[in-house]
Each structure stands twice: as C-alpha cells, then as structure tokens.
Amino acid sequence: MFPQQRMRRLRGRLIQPFLKEHHLRKTDLVTPLFIDETADCPTPIPTMPGQYRYPLNAIGAAVLRLQEKGIGAVLLFGIPARKDPEASESYNPAGVIQEAVRIIKSVTPGILVFTDVCACEYTDHGHCGIIGEGPCGMDLQNDPSLELIARIAVSHAQAGTDFLAPSCMLDGMVAVIRQALDDEGFQETGIMSYSTKFASALYGPFREAADSGYRFGDRSTYQIHPGNSREAIRESEIDALEGADILMVKPGMFYLDLVASIRELGLPVAVYQVSGEYAMIKAAATNGWIDERSVVMESLICAKRAGADLIITYYAADAAGWLDEEQ
Ligand code: PBG
Ligand code: ZN
C-alpha cells in the first residue's frame, strides 16, 4: 500500500514507452472501399466526409495510393447499376465487385482483398437476401437466401478475392459458403464472417454510402439486439464451427466487451469500426469539439486492448499516416 506502492513510477516519461502493453501496426488495419458502377469519378459520400464512392476506372489508382501509405488490406462493397428482388447483379461474373477484385489483383497483387458478401446493395427492397411472407409480415427468408449467398461467394472467389466476408447474418451462411467453395475447388479462399453483428443504428451513414437502405421493416429479425451478449457469443461460436477462419464483432466501440469474450474462442478476431463511429468522430472533430487524431488513435488502441487482431476502419489511411509520424 501507499507510500510503498506508487503506480506513477511506471508512468515516468522514460520508462513509459517500454511498458506499453498493446501496439497498433499498419498490418492491423483494413480499409473499407465503395465501388460504384454508376459513378464517373470519385464521388464524395455526404454522410461520411472524406470517404468516396469510386468508379471502376479509379479503383486501381485508389488502392495503389493506399498501398503507398502502407495499407495492406481492403474490404470491398459494390453498388450496382441495376437492382432487382433477386439481387441478380450480385453474382454476375462481370459485376462491379468481381471486376473491382480483378483490377485490384492486377494493379496491386500484394494487397489482401476481402469482399463483403451480402445482397442488400443489390436488391431493390434493400434486404440482405430473398424476402417473403413470414409469420409477422414480409421478412428475410433464411433458407431460400442461402443459395444466393453461396452463389455470390463463388463468383467473388472466381474473381480472385482472398477472403469472403458474409455480412447477412443468415443462419447457416458460413456452412453453405464453405461447402460451395470447397465444391468449386476454392480450398484456399478464406471466410471472415461478420459473426457477431448487432442491429445497430450506427450503420446509418453506410446505408447512404452503399445505397443499401431497406424499403420496409428493419434488420432486427436477423441482426442481434444490442443488449444481448450470450446470444452474441453463440453467434460467433456457431460460425467458428461452420468453418469461419476469422470472426468479427460489429460495431466496434460500444461492443468491445464482446471482442474480449469472442477472442477466447481461439480464432482471429476482427472488429469493425462502422460508419456511424466514423461519422461521430468526424462531426465532433470538424466542429472543433474533439481532437480527431487523438480520438481516432485512442479508439484503435482500445480495440487492440480488447483483443482485436484486425480493425476495419474508414480511418485506416489517416491512421497509417499518423503511425509514420510517431516513428
Ligand atoms: C451489409 C453491411 C452493412 C454494413 C456492412 N455490411 C449494413 C447493414 O447491415 O445494414 C455496415 C458498415 C458500416 O456501417 O460501416 N449487410
Ligand atoms: Zn446486407
């Protein structure tokens, strides 16, 4: 006890850097990117200042710039020119994502490519798969959507993606994707499942960005209620058993307790600092109410402290620059 015990001895200016328990590296960071088949030039996203929708003819250069900053991984979202109830553009071999993967793999073969596997950007109703009449009205149909999800996954694998990132929160999605990949000879293609994904209001800015808002209802019959933690852990356990290679908790900062729990399952864990988290930090910083760089770096090191191996963040490029300045 005090006065023998003095914690501040360990926080002296010289000793402090030696005792840091967690570190942020560029190889922790994954940048989400939006590729828009309808755009002619990089188009600013109003709800996410500093983020753009890239046309296919600009994506190679954009990823090259990220690579020059030391970013090694991207997570791709596609915005197709045409939407329909069955999301048919989502598995088009010449679709926006499939083309983007090919371009990125030819321009920057050293970049690790994750592709989001979901239907909501491709359906005209905006839900994450096939809809139909359920016990309480129109709803996402689980089993009829699985075939679609597997088909999307195989088309991404054929284009050359490294890891598929299914985000639809359908039961069985990881199992059917793993089976479909193995049947088609894609044993080396991995799965980073959005295994613990909450029904969060923090996805609002993304739905503007990806044009994936829904026409009716909400996503609460497939995503997890924010107050449920045992259910959240089971979701990741099941995806691990179904063959996921990497688990994910999404969103980030309100849910870091689950990063700590899910890390115990033994698989690598990603955390997704989502659009609403980006927008909140950006808005407060733009108003001069918080210091952007300090808040961002704090949010990222806290994700590491909670146990994340990977951090998916719209601040990846900025953080890479700030890490360089810290050297
Ligand atoms: C699509 C998807 C969403 C996000 C990632 N994939 C939106 C949603 O589920 O409604 C959110 C990403 C973000 O907010 O940054 N299923
Ligand atoms: Zn979706």
Side-chain angles (χ1 to χ4, degrees):
M1 278 301 126
F2 181 83
Q4 290 79 22
Q5 297 273 6
R6 285 182 184 268
M7 292 304 287
R8 294 188 60 199
R9 281 198 288 259
L10 298 178
R11 295 198 288 266
R13 294 215 185 276
L14 290 179
I15 186 77
Q16 195 178 125
F18 291 89
L19 299 180
K20 280 195 182 159
E21 294 180 44
H22 296 281
H23 299 271
L24 183 70
R25 305 162 307 169
K26 292 181 187 178
T27 46
D28 297 322
L29 303 172
V30 180
T31 309
L33 287 175
F34 300 99
I35 303 114
D36 185 349
E37 206 173 17
T38 67
D40 302 317
C41 54
T43 311
I45 300 168
T47 51
M48 301 174 69
Q51 300 297 312
Y52 296 83
R53 292 177 176 204
Y54 294 96
L56 278 169
N57 66 24
I59 195 66
V63 176
L64 199 54
R65 276 197 307 279
L66 287 168
Q67 191 177 40
E68 282 161 7
K69 286 186 178 162
I71 294 297
V74 294
L75 169 62
L76 307 182
F77 296 92
I79 301 135
R82 202 174 57 81
K83 299 177 190 247
D84 61 27
E86 292 82 35
S88 15
E89 275 302 301
S90 61
Y91 50 83
N92 179 351
V96 60
I97 276 297
Q98 293 81 357
E99 291 295 346
V101 171
R102 281 188 203 99
I103 293 168
I104 292 169
K105 281 293 173 189
S106 75
V107 177
T108 48
I111 289 280
L112 175 68
V113 176
F114 296 89
T115 49
D116 187 86
V117 175
C118 200
C120 54
E121 294 108 37
Y122 300 85
T123 51
D124 51 10
H125 46 72
H127 282 282
C128 300
I130 305 296
I131 54 167
E133 199 62 47
C136 308
M138 288 295 274
D139 202 355
L140 181 66
Q141 303 287 296
N142 198 84
D143 297 11
S145 303
L146 290 176
E147 196 189 332
L148 169 63
I149 294 302
R151 202 163 168 187
I152 301 173
V154 169
S155 78
H156 290 190
Q158 283 164 341
T161 194
D162 296 295
F163 277 82
L164 298 154
S167 65
C168 50
M169 287 295 287
L170 290 165
D171 288 323
M173 67 179 185
V174 173
V176 299
I177 290 174
R178 187 69 266 161
Q179 181 75 53
L181 290 175
D182 290 352
D183 287 349
E184 298 290 327
F186 293 108
Q187 276 78 9
E188 301 304 322
T189 307
I191 301 175
M192 174 173 75
S193 178
Y194 285 70
S195 50
T196 292
K197 178 173 176 179
F198 288 90
S200 172
L202 292 168
Y203 310 148
F206 171 95
R207 290 180 190 153
E208 282 293 309
D211 193 21
S212 71
Y214 32 78
R215 297 287 131 78
F216 64 88
D218 56 31
R219 301 216 205 286
S220 62
T221 64
Y222 42 111
Q223 301 176 349
I224 308 163
H225 188 276
N228 290 3
S229 55
R230 281 173 297 168
E231 181 187 349
I233 294 166
R234 277 185 72 205
E235 280 284 3
S236 274
E237 279 170 350
I238 291 169
D239 284 12
L241 291 171
E242 287 183 17
D245 300 289
I246 304 173
L247 301 171
M248 191 200 296
V249 174
K250 177 187 174 203
M253 67 180 168
F254 297 169
Y255 300 90
L256 293 182
D257 54 329
L258 288 156
V259 174
S261 307
I262 287 166
R263 183 185 170 76
E264 299 297 317
L265 299 178
L267 270 64
V269 179
V271 64
Y272 196 147
Q273 181 175 62
V274 300
S275 58
E277 299 177 69
Y278 177 84
M280 289 194 292
I281 296 174
K282 191 58 97 180
T286 306
N287 275 293
W289 299 334
I290 58 172
D291 179 62
E292 186 173 37
R293 173 174 172 168
S294 309
V295 171
V296 170
M297 294 311 260
E298 182 175 332
S299 72
L300 300 178
I301 199 66
C302 289
K304 293 300 292 179
R305 190 203 64 230
D309 299 287
L310 293 174
I311 307 171
I312 302 157
T313 171
Y314 302 96
Y315 273 116
D318 291 326
W322 293 328
L323 283 172
D324 285 336
E325 287 174 28
E326 283 173 15
Q327 298 305 301

